[in-house]
């Protein structure tokens, strides 16, 4: 009686013993429902299945059956016209962890299933492959893994598998008959295999294969799509003329970061509707095709990181919609091509990494008054910084780092009131920091490190209320730490809010390079960020950051509860700054990195430091004296603490042993410090190089002998108290998901990064894990030596 109706008509011709076998198998496997009541029963099973795996933090499916007994009224449930059957389920963003439900196929009329933005893990079961009526399937943003078999879903029109851990060949994963498929997003997995599978998908329009493991040849059929992204794979072939058919309908073509070589065929101009062409990061050579000038719809042209020849075709000047031009890293050399100054409509120009020596003014780039982003870093420009740039009043990003500019920073740069990023670091700039920079109220980043700047830090910088990332390291700055400086970054919200309101320009891979530098990932304590910040994740991380959302979790001073917060830095190391650190520093609530190393600071360390959400505190190589504040022991998330080479005295505060996250610690060369290093707790896990030159300090013998502390002395830290009780569930899920066989590493991972926004978290957790594991290994090895 289960196989009446539809199934019956389907099978009625097989009246053979085979039929009996089939029907038995079918009944056992499907045993679906064929009425609304049956569907409802399935939903109730689904609900309890999910609830069993998610004991506390739950989505709106918990309301099912409470308000109405008609499932068509329930949140996320869609019924067919007349309410006869359930045809759609939307469980996206419903805080669901654990395995995928094993009986969706019992909803025999299901056409629409959205499970995106949860933390579902494990493999996708065969059950899903039996949902033959599915037209829409969205599994994106989970941690599902393994080889996927959806070959039975021949009705699919929209399929989103992005940001999971699927692997295997597409042709074994997707239906053989895919002529209904219109949208397929496989981005951010490890799919591989032949791309010509998609030949069969005659109605396909949007295909995103970015960040997978496809290699070999390109699929020549892509020109009939509207959007095609193959970014971040390992495809090597040249792109031939035959790829661009006469009726190419592409609007977005993204082949960036593969291994394409050869020339770009002129037939690309057959794509008359092209809006974005991204060929960044391949090995293309030869001329930039001048025919591109006839593609009047073009808004973004990204040709950076290739070996194109130097001549920029005049025809490109016809492109009245061209807003974004990236010709970075093409080794152009010599003078900046004069033509760039004539792209009047540009909003973003990236010419970094070209070994230019000259031609900044003669090219007239400074006359591109509509520009909001200009990146000329990593060239060989010398002489003074061009004052004229200060007339591009809409500039938001000005990046001139890594050149050989000399002389003063023009005070006129203080007129660039829309600036969010000013990066002049790694040049030969001298003179003092102009006070006019204090006018830059939207400034988030001020990067002036590694120049030869002198004089005092202007107190006017304190007016930069958005400034969260200030790096003045390795200059010759002197004078005191101005009290007003503690006002920087007090209220970045207006800048963040204006960024939230508009769609930020997607500047492509170049953005990732800029962001990496701005987040100072070369600075070793922040290197962990680097592992999170892959090409896969950088765009979304960067977007979040500019909108004021943190991308890793930190805890406020005294607290163990970690949250996503923007975390700024103040880097003053390698200068000659004198005097003490004002106690107002405790008000700099967004700071997570304080690096004052190698200066001439003196006086006592302010106890107010305990109020900050610090990850890094480095005061090494100064003249701090007095006691080490016991309050530092309250900065629970501190990872790096370097107090070496100062003149601290008094009794060493054993409270520092409570800093269970500490991975770098140094108290060396403080000859007047007395007391003892506790034999248990975190401090006992460091080697003797952390305790050099402290004659009065009692250091446990096993440290001095260079031995590992007994394992019982360094147990994995206990998980912190939870904000909500479902944390353990989450971790359980995560642990099963990762199954990394490294209990300590995982414990550390658990300890540091906790669930607040799991979907986001999922994309970065791999990186963190790797970093933690590496860090741990390094420390263990170090201790063995
Ligand atoms: C699936 O649901 C149907 C209908 O509610 C039920 O008969 C069947 O036993 C379920 N199968 C599994 C594997 O739970
Ligand atoms: C899948 O879900 C994600 C997140 O909910 C959404 O952003 C995306 O647009 C969906 N994909 C499709 C093809 O609808
Ligand atoms: C595919 O999914 C990724 C991640 O969810 C998203 O960033 C991308 O925009 C999607 N691609 C398309 C073409 O919608
Ligand atoms: C161009 O499109 C038409 C239908 O719109 C199709 O019949 C024809 O084969 C296409 N030409 C090429 C070269 O793909
Ligand atoms: C600059 O942009 C504005 C609108 O964004 C436009 O009206 C103006 O013509 C542009 N100027 C130039 C020189 O292109
Ligand atoms: C930055 O400056 C410091 C100190 O002057 C120097 O040791 C370091 O090598 C410089 N870094 C680079 C990348 O030039
Ligand atoms: C602290 O700063 C000093 C001097 O700038 C540097 O040598 C040392 O490596 C830093 N310590 C840590 C733990 O990063
Ligand atoms: C270092 O501290 C000791 C003990 O407090 C004090 O006697 C000495 O003068 C200090 N030295 C310097 C250079 O500040
Ligand atoms: C601690 O600092 C001293 C002096 O700055 C240095 O020699 C030593 O290598 C540092 N120890 C560690 C573990 O980095």
């Amino acid at each position: 009686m289960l196989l009446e109706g539809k199934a019956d008509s389907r099978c009625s011709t097989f009246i053979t013993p085979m039929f009996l076998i089939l029907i038995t198998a079918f009944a056992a496997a499907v045993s679906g429902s064929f009425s609304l009541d049956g569907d409802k029963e399935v939903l109730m099973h689904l609900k309890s299945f999910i609830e069993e795996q998610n004991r506390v933090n739950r989505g709106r499916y918990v309301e099912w059956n409470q308000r109405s007994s008609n499932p068509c009224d329930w949140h996320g449930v869609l019924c067919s016209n007349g309410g006869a059957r359930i045809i759609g389920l939307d469980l996206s963003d419903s805080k669901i962890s654990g395995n995928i439900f094993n009986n969706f196929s019992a909803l025999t009329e299901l056409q629409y299933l959205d499970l995106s933005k949860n933390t579902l893990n494990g493999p996708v079961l065969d059950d899903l492959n039996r949902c033959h009526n599915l037209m829409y399937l969205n599994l994106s943003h989970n941690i599902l893994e393994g080889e996927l078999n959806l070959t039975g879903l021949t009705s699919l029109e929209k399929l989103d598998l992005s940001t999971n851990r699927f692997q295997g060949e597409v042709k074994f994963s997707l239906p053989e008959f895919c002529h209904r498929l219109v949208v397929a997003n496989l981005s951010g997995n490890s799919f591989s295999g032949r791309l010509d599978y998609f030949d069969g998908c005659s109605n396909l329009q949007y295909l995103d294969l970015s960040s997978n493991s496809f290699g070999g040849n390109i699929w020549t059929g892509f020109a009939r799509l509207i959007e095609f992204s193959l970014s971040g794979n390992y495809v090597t072939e040249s792109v031939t003329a035959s790829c661009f058919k006469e009726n190419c309908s592409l609007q977005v073509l993204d082949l960036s970061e593969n291994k394409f070589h050869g020339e770009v065929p002129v037939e690309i101009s057959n794509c008359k509707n092209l809006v974005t062409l991204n060929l960044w990061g391949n090995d293309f050579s030869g001329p930039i095709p001048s025919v591109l000038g006839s593609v009047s719809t073009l808004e973004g042209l990204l040709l950076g990181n290739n070996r194109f020849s130097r001549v920029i075709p005049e025809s490109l000047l016809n492109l009245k919609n061209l807003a974004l031009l990236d010709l970075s890293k093409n080794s152009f050399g010599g003078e900046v091509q004069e033509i760039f100054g004539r792209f009047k409509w540009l909003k973003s120009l990236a010419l970094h990494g070209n070994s230019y020596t000259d031609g900044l003014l003669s090219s007239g780039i400074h006359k591109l008054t509509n520009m909001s982003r200009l990146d000329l870093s990593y060239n060989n420009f010398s002489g003074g910084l061009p004052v004229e740039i200060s007339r591009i009043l809409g500039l938001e990003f000005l990046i001139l780092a890594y050149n050989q500019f000399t002389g003063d920073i023009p005070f006129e740069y203080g007129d660039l009131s829309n600036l969010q990023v000013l990066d002049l670091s790694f040049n030969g700039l001298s003179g003092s920091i102009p006070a006019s920079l204090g006018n830059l109220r939207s400034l988030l980043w001020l990067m002036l490190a590694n120049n030869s700047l002198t004089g005092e830090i202007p107190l006017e910088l304190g007016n930069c209320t958005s400034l969260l990332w200030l790096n003045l390291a390795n200059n010759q700055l002197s004078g005191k730490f101005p009290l007003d400086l503690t006002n920087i970054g007090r209220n970045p919200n207006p800048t963040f809010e204006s960024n939230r309101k508009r769609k930020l320009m997607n500047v492509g891979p170049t953005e990732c390079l800029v962001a990496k530098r701005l987040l100072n990932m070369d600075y070793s304590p922040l290197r962990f960020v680097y592992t999170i910040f892959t090409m896969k994740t950088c765009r979304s991380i960067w977007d979040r950051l500019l909108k004021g959302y943190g991308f890793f979790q930190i805890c406020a001073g005294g607290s163990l509860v970690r949250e996503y917060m923007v975390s700024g830095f103040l880097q003053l190391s390698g200068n000659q700054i004198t005097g003490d650190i004002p106690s107002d520093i405790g008000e700099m609530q967004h700071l997570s990195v304080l690096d004052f190393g190698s200066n001439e600071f003196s006086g006592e360390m302010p106890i107010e430091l305990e109020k900050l959400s610090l990850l890094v505190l480095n005061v090494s190589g100064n003249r701090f004296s007095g006691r080490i504040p016991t309050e530092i022991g309250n900065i629970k998330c501190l990872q790096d603490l370097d107090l070496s080479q100062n003149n601290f005295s008094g009794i060493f505060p054993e409270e520092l042993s409570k800093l269970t996250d500490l991975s770098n610690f140094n108290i060396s060369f403080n000859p007047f410090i007395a007391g003892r290093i506790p034999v248990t707790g975190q401090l006992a896990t460091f080697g003797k190089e952390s305790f050099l030159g402290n004659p009065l300090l009692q250091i446990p013998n096993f440290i001095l002998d260079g031995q590992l502390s007994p394992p019982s002395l360094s147990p994995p830290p206990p998980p912190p108290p939870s904000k909500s009780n479902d944390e353990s569930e989450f971790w359980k899920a995560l642990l099963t998901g990762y199954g990394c066989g490294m209990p300590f590493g995982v414990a550390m991972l658990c300890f540091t990064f906790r669930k607040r926004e799991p979907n986001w978290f999922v994309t970065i957790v791999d990186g963190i894990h790797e970093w933690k594991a590496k860090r741990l290994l390094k420390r263990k090895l170090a201790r063995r030596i």
Side-chain angles (χ1 to χ4, degrees):
M1 36 40 190
L2 278 169
L3 291 170
E4 12 173 86
K6 203 163 185 174
D8 198 43
S9 63
R10 209 179 276 160
C11 303
S12 57
T13 47
F14 298 90
I15 313 212
T16 61
M18 184 65 178
F19 167 61
L20 285 177
I21 298 169
L22 260 179
I23 207 162
T24 334
F26 200 61
V30 177
S31 49
S33 81
F34 294 95
S35 66
L36 188 61
D37 276 346
D39 287 352
K40 183 175 161 185
E41 195 184 315
V42 178
L43 285 197
M44 293 320 290
H45 283 151
L46 170 60
K47 179 182 170 181
S48 57
F49 179 89
I50 303 175
E51 283 178 345
E52 226 158 79
Q53 306 192 62
N54 297 270
R55 304 226 168 238
V56 176
N57 222 353
R58 290 170 172 175
R60 290 194 58 184
Y61 59 84
V62 292
E63 298 165 12
W64 289 357
N65 216 12
Q66 279 165 14
R67 301 232 173 92
S68 159
S69 59
N70 182 358
C72 300
D73 298 338
W74 298 351
H75 181 82
V77 177
L78 179 71
C79 288
S80 55
N81 281 343
R85 296 294 304 276
I86 290 176
I87 58 167
L89 264 187
D90 180 359
L91 285 167
S92 66
D93 211 355
S94 299
K95 309 187 175 78
I96 305 175
S97 303
N99 291 325
I100 203 161
F101 180 54
N102 60 0
N103 209 358
F104 282 114
S105 61
L107 297 167
T108 51
E109 293 294 317
L110 198 63
Q111 296 173 10
Y112 178 103
L113 180 60
D114 190 348
L115 300 173
S116 65
K117 287 184 115 181
N118 287 295
T119 35
L120 289 165
N121 63 34
V124 167
L125 307 175
D126 228 21
D127 164 69
L128 206 57
N129 197 29
R130 290 194 290 266
C131 299
H132 300 289
N133 291 317
L134 271 187
M135 295 161 67
Y136 178 100
L137 176 61
N138 196 339
L139 299 176
S140 72
H141 297 274
N142 280 290
I143 34 181
L144 294 164
E145 62 189 12
E147 299 199 354
L148 189 65
N149 180 1
L150 301 179
T151 50
L153 305 187
T154 48
S155 304
L156 272 184
E157 292 174 9
K158 287 188 180 173
L159 175 64
D160 194 340
L161 302 172
S162 62
T163 318
N164 277 290
R165 292 157 188 199
F166 294 123
Q167 58 189 52
E169 287 204 31
V170 271
K171 88 168 166 190
F172 301 125
S173 310
L174 303 187
E176 191 184 346
F177 302 107
C178 57
H179 53 280
R180 296 236 178 119
L181 203 58
V182 178
V183 178
N185 193 342
L186 276 61
S187 150
N189 284 288
S190 301
F191 284 112
S192 57
R194 292 178 63 93
L195 292 171
D196 56 9
Y197 159 80
F198 294 100
D199 272 335
C201 314
S202 51
N203 284 306
L204 201 58
Q205 294 189 333
Y206 301 88
L207 179 58
D208 190 343
L209 303 176
S210 58
S211 302
N212 275 291
S213 305
F214 293 106
N217 295 356
I218 185 147
W219 168 50
T220 52
F222 65 78
R224 64 177 162 81
L225 306 181
I226 291 176
E227 218 174 301
F228 179 55
S229 174
L230 191 56
S231 165
N233 282 285
Y234 308 96
V235 182
T236 48
E237 278 301 286
S238 51
V239 184
T240 56
S242 63
C243 293
F244 301 100
K245 314 260 161 54
E246 255 169 50
N247 37 9
C248 167
S249 50
L250 282 171
Q251 292 173 13
V252 175
L253 176 59
D254 185 351
L255 302 179
S256 63
E257 299 188 276
N258 277 282
K259 295 174 176 168
F260 291 113
H261 58 86
E263 298 197 1
V264 178
V266 295
E267 287 76 7
I268 197 166
S269 64
N270 285 336
C271 305
K272 290 287 176 228
N273 303 318
L274 211 52
V275 175
T276 304
L277 175 61
N278 190 349
L279 304 179
W280 205 93
N282 281 290
D283 198 21
F284 285 112
S285 53
I288 296 168
S290 65
V291 289
L292 279 176
S294 67
V295 185
S296 59
T297 44
L298 213 52
E299 291 174 18
L301 183 56
L302 299 95
L303 305 177
N305 206 355
N306 281 294
R307 294 187 294 128
F308 285 110
S309 50
R310 210 174 181 288
V311 180
I312 317 293
E314 291 270 325
S315 63
L316 297 190
L317 293 171
N318 300 332
L319 299 172
K320 303 279 188 279
N321 293 306
L322 195 64
L324 168 62
L325 182 56
D326 185 339
L327 277 162
S328 57
K329 296 175 101 173
N330 270 288
S331 318
F332 289 146
E335 293 199 355
V336 177
Q337 292 92 321
E338 164 276 335
I339 191 172
F340 285 119
R342 291 191 277 147
F343 284 100
K344 285 185 297 206
W345 293 275
L346 278 191
K347 291 197 158 62
S348 171
L349 177 60
L351 293 176
H352 64 266
N354 269 316
S355 314
Y356 288 124
T357 52
D358 212 345
L360 250 185
L361 293 184
S362 59
S363 67
I365 288 179
H366 59 284
K367 292 182 190 148
L368 299 174
T369 47
N370 261 6
M371 235 171 357
S372 64
R373 297 183 186 222
L374 178 60
D375 182 355
L376 300 173
S377 56
Y378 293 95
N379 281 294
N380 296 320
F381 294 116
S382 53
L385 286 173
V387 180
E388 292 80 357
I389 284 180
S390 63
R391 287 184 218 137
I392 312 179
L393 291 178
L395 265 192
E396 293 175 358
F397 283 64
L398 177 56
I399 300 166
L400 304 175
Y402 287 93
N403 279 288
Q404 284 112 51
F405 287 115
T406 50
D408 290 351
I409 299 172
F411 71 86
E412 290 89 344
Y413 282 11
D415 297 341
L416 292 166
S417 58
N418 290 304
L419 270 191
Q420 299 194 12
V421 174
L422 178 58
D423 186 356
L424 308 175
S425 44
F426 296 91
N427 276 291
L429 301 172
S430 53
S432 51
I433 299 171
S436 63
L437 296 188
N439 298 335
L440 303 176
R441 302 293 153 83
S442 302
L443 200 61
L444 295 168
W445 273 270
L446 179 57
M447 310 288 278
L448 302 176
N450 280 64
N451 279 289
S452 303
L453 299 169
T454 52
E456 299 192 7
I457 300 172
L459 52 89
E460 287 81 359
L461 279 191
N463 296 333
C464 298
T465 42
S466 290
L467 185 54
L468 291 172
W469 291 274
L470 175 59
N471 190 349
L472 304 177
N474 300 322
N475 280 286
Q476 285 128 48
L477 298 167
S478 55
K480 291 184 130 197
F481 182 103
L483 186 58
D484 295 58
L485 199 63
T486 59
N487 286 326
I488 62 169
R490 281 267 171 103
N491 185 16
N493 291 333
T495 307
F496 289 144
E497 255 146 42
S498 97
N499 285 345
R500 282 174 204 175
K501 277 188 202 126
R502 55 205 179 119
K503 192 177 182 307
L504 296 177
M505 198 184 298
N506 179 356
V507 195
T510 284
E511 185 104 52
C512 298
L513 299 178
V514 170
K516 266 183 190 170
R517 211 174 54 248
L518 293 181
L519 290 172
N520 218 357
M521 293 181 204
D522 292 338
Y523 174 66
S524 61
L526 292 184
R527 220 164 267 161
F528 76 92
V529 178
Y530 195 88
T531 50
I532 313 173
F533 203 84
T534 60
M535 279 295 175
K536 275 188 201 179
T537 60
C538 68
R539 281 184 216 175
S540 46
I541 291 183
W542 185 233
D543 196 69
R544 282 177 64 87
L545 215 52
L546 289 173
K547 291 174 176 166
Y549 306 112
F551 71 99
F552 55 88
Q553 294 180 314
I554 45 180
C555 53
S559 168
L560 272 174
V561 177
R562 290 151 210 258
E563 293 180 54
Y564 286 100
M565 288 189 271
V566 282
S567 46
F569 51 65
L570 178 55
Q571 289 176 283
L572 302 178
S573 62
N575 282 287
Q576 289 124 45
I577 300 171
T578 53
D580 48 14
I581 303 179
S583 58
D584 284 22
I585 197 146
E587 305 302 313
M588 302 183 77
Q589 296 296 334
H590 294 289
L591 267 191
S592 59
V593 174
L594 260 189
D595 187 356
F596 289 170
S598 299
N599 273 285
E600 289 161 26
F601 282 106
S602 57
E604 298 205 0
M605 294 258 289
I607 58 171
E608 286 78 4
L609 285 173
E610 72 169 334
K611 293 197 226 161
L612 302 181
S613 322
L614 290 182
L615 296 171
V616 178
L617 176 60
N618 190 344
V619 297
S620 152
N622 281 283
R623 296 179 194 150
F624 286 108
S625 57
R627 50 181 272 281
I628 296 168
T630 51
E631 288 80 359
I632 290 179
N634 295 334
I635 311 177
K636 302 285 191 234
C637 293
L638 201 59
Q639 296 178 1
D640 282 71
L641 177 60
D642 195 338
L643 304 167
S644 65
Q645 302 194 62
N646 278 289
N647 196 28
F648 288 113
S649 55
I651 302 292
F652 181 86
E654 297 191 12
E655 285 80 356
L656 299 191
S657 265
K658 295 187 301 194
L659 296 173
T660 44
D661 266 18
L662 213 53
S663 62
N664 281 303
F665 174 72
N666 204 338
I667 183 68
S668 300
F669 303 111
N670 281 284
F672 296 100
I673 199 88
R676 56 182 275 276
I677 299 296
V679 293
T680 59
Q682 192 75 10
L683 293 182
T685 67
F686 294 98
K688 60 182 170 190
E689 303 78 20
S690 297
F691 307 95
L692 305 172
N694 302 308
L696 304 181
L697 190 62
Q698 290 175 41
I699 299 154
N701 278 333
F702 62 84
I703 292 180
L704 293 175
D705 297 347
Q707 284 166 5
L708 271 175
S709 55
S712 60
L713 294 183
S714 55
S722 299
K723 249 192 175 171
S724 56
N725 298 328
D726 72 324
E727 302 290 342
S728 60
E729 292 301 311
F730 174 68
W731 288 114
K732 211 166 66 193
L734 199 71
L735 293 183
T736 5
Y738 290 102
C740 58
M742 222 190 208
F744 197 136
V746 174
M748 289 290 288
L749 165 80
C750 299
F751 189 66
T752 302
F753 295 90
R754 300 167 65 240
K755 183 188 183 188
R756 272 293 294 254
E757 297 182 30
N759 314 307
W760 169 251
F761 175 89
V762 164
T763 59
I764 64 173
V765 76
D766 265 345
I768 303 257
H769 180 203
E770 200 182 313
W771 157 68
K772 286 273 185 189
K774 269 191 205 145
R775 195 178 74 174
L776 221 95
L777 199 66
K778 216 168 78 189
R779 229 168 76 205
K780 279 189 176 150
L781 287 177
R783 273 192 263 135
R784 269 200 195 98
I785 295 165

